């Protein structure tokens, strides 16, 4: 297992990587909620913030601090070096195949 701290101002997130299975484990960093599984008003908030399946994204409370935080580049570089094959989320549905593309879309455009 490997880990890195993903900066986010007030919110910080430990991201864990299981090397043997090439699995990235995210707790609050990305939320990918299925709209038919939640009630209002959370359903509307989820739609408006873009955290709905299949295009889940970084938790709203982390986005601005992440954009402003300089250490994000170091954390993203670490994620890229791991080259995950799977992503497991604690909030919402796990992403379908092609997780590398999903992680690249959410965390940055650099090639894996």
């Amino acid at each position: 297992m490997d880990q890195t701290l993903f900066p986010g101002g007030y919110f910080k997130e430990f991201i864990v990587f299981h090397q043997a299975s090439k699995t990235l484990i995210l707790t609050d960093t990305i939320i990918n909620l299925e709209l038919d599984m939640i009630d209002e008003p959370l359903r509307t908030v989820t739609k408006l913030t873009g955290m709905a399946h299949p295009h889940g994204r970084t938790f709203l409370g982390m986005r601005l601090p992440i954009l402003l935080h300089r250490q994000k580049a170091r954390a993203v570089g670490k994620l890229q070096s791991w080259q995950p094959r799977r992503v497991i989320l604690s909030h919402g549905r796990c992403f379908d195949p092609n997780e590398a593309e999903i992680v690249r879309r959410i965390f940055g455009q650099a090639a894996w």
Side-chain angles (χ1 to χ4, degrees):
M1 300 283 275
D2 199 355
Q3 67 181 9
T4 191
L5 180 64
F6 198 82
Y10 180 75
F11 296 99
K12 291 178 178 54
E13 177 78 21
F14 273 102
I15 295 176
V16 178
F17 182 66
H18 184 254
Q19 296 168 346
S21 65
K22 305 282 275 178
T23 301
L24 192 64
I25 303 165
L26 306 172
T27 53
D28 295 324
T29 311
I30 298 174
I31 297 176
N32 193 39
L33 300 176
E34 296 176 84
L35 294 176
D36 60 342
M37 304 285 282
I38 55 177
D39 295 326
E40 292 294 346
L42 184 56
R43 181 180 302 163
T44 298
V45 171
T46 300
K47 284 184 204 177
L48 292 174
T49 59
M51 296 186 297
H53 174 77
H55 305 290
R57 60 189 296 188
T58 307
F59 169 62
L60 182 63
M62 290 181 78
R63 287 189 208 153
L64 183 58
I66 286 171
L67 289 173
L68 300 175
H69 207 283
R70 291 183 182 147
Q71 291 196 5
K72 176 190 173 202
R74 187 175 1 195
V76 170
K78 182 85 162 176
L79 294 174
Q80 292 169 343
S81 73
W82 289 335
Q83 299 182 350
R85 292 187 191 142
R86 290 171 203 82
V87 178
I88 295 176
L89 306 174
S90 65
H91 297 294
R93 183 174 172 177
C94 293
F95 292 112
D96 294 327
N98 199 9
E99 283 84 355
E101 177 60 34
I102 292 163
V103 172
R104 182 174 35 248
R105 174 181 61 84
I106 293 169
F107 290 113
Q109 296 302 318
W112 293 72

